[in-house]
Amino acid sequence: LLLLLPLLLVPVALLARWRRGQRTPSVKVLVVAGSGGHTTEILRLLSCLSESYSPRHYVFADSDKMSEAKIRSFEQERAETFPNSQFTLDRIPRSREVRQSWTSSVVTTLYSILYSLPLTYRLKPDVVLCNGPGTCVPVCLSALLLRLLGIKKAIIVYVESICRVETLSLSGKILYYFSDYFIVQWPELKEKYHKSIYLGRIV
């Protein structure tokens, strides 16, 4: 986890230059959560971040029934250490259901992107942090579009799930080309994907 901190502190250094008049610059983080292990892993990553990473805007699929409870529990515990900590929760349509056909997945993903774009525009995050759920694809593409339009440059940090040892997830295969930092947790993946950053096991 300590190895990950210098990487995620890059946005802080950039913001410090942009906001020299502020003593404690904050970093707005858009966190994409996913059902099951994805949310557990992403919350473990967030636990090592300082209070400067606030507010944290959580986004998850509207059919996800577990993430909200996990996030609220995590934030409640975090508030004991950082009383001024802030967070929000937002739901978007799921881009792809399990076993959904590829043809229909294109349609639902486009719909999810259209839904994500105004949300990302409103939040204007400094960092987008995700680790593989399908929901992260439309969110990251929306953030990328805002960058291309010159509206807001958000640094996209993708952390591949620990369960991915030899092959990337579908989300990883897509966002490998668009993320600013692509982190893997197994050396086998680093050998195959040279752009990736191998830090060992970080969750």
Side-chain angles (χ1 to χ4, degrees):
L1 290 176
L2 293 177
L3 292 174
L4 183 63
L5 284 176
L7 182 62
L8 293 181
L9 286 175
V10 171
V12 175
L14 293 175
L15 286 176
R17 295 180 182 178
W18 298 337
R19 306 173 181 175
R20 292 180 180 178
Q22 296 185 7
R23 294 183 178 180
T24 56
S26 62
V27 179
K28 292 187 291 183
V29 185
L30 194 161
V31 184
V32 185
S35 57
H38 287 296
T39 297
T40 300
E41 288 185 13
I42 206 72
L43 293 179
R44 287 176 182 172
L45 289 175
L46 289 174
S47 66
C48 73
L49 298 183
S50 70
E51 60 182 330
S52 296
Y53 291 83
S54 178
R56 289 167 301 285
H57 302 292
Y58 295 93
V59 178
F60 46 95
D62 52 9
S63 59
D64 185 350
K65 305 301 181 184
M66 298 184 292
S67 291
E68 181 173 354
K70 290 183 179 181
I71 293 168
R72 289 189 180 280
S73 177
F74 169 79
E75 288 293 341
Q76 185 175 3
E77 293 180 6
R78 186 178 177 87
E80 296 177 2
T81 305
F82 305 114
N84 296 324
S85 183
Q86 300 177 16
F87 73 98
T88 65
L89 299 171
D90 287 284
R91 295 178 179 270
I92 65 172
R94 186 181 291 273
S95 58
R96 184 174 184 269
E97 298 287 352
V98 177
R99 298 178 181 177
Q100 183 178 346
S101 68
W102 292 106
T103 303
S104 62
S105 294
V106 173
V107 176
T108 54
T109 299
L110 289 175
Y111 175 66
S112 187
I113 291 174
L114 292 175
Y115 199 96
S116 301
L117 189 57
L119 174 63
T120 309
Y121 176 80
R122 174 171 60 84
L123 298 177
K124 292 185 175 64
D126 299 306
V127 177
V128 177
L129 179 61
C130 53
N131 67 336
T135 307
C136 70
V137 173
V139 172
C140 289
L141 292 181
S142 297
L144 182 63
L145 182 57
L146 292 184
R147 179 190 302 186
L148 294 175
L149 294 175
I151 297 174
K152 175 67 179 182
K153 181 178 180 180
I155 295 176
I156 300 174
V157 180
Y158 183 95
V159 182
E160 186 60 281
S161 175
I162 187 66
C163 67
R164 289 292 174 171
V165 180
E166 297 182 349
T167 60
L168 296 178
S169 62
L170 178 58
S171 299
K173 291 177 180 178
I174 296 173
L175 296 178
Y176 176 76
Y177 301 98
F178 303 108
S179 59
D180 296 287
Y181 299 99
F182 192 95
I183 302 170
V184 296
Q185 303 186 60
W186 294 94
E188 291 85 351
L189 289 177
K190 173 59 180 177
E191 293 175 1
K192 294 181 180 179
Y193 302 93
H194 301 295
K195 172 191 171 181
S196 64
I197 302 169
Y198 171 61
L199 299 176
R201 182 171 179 175
I202 57 177
V203 295

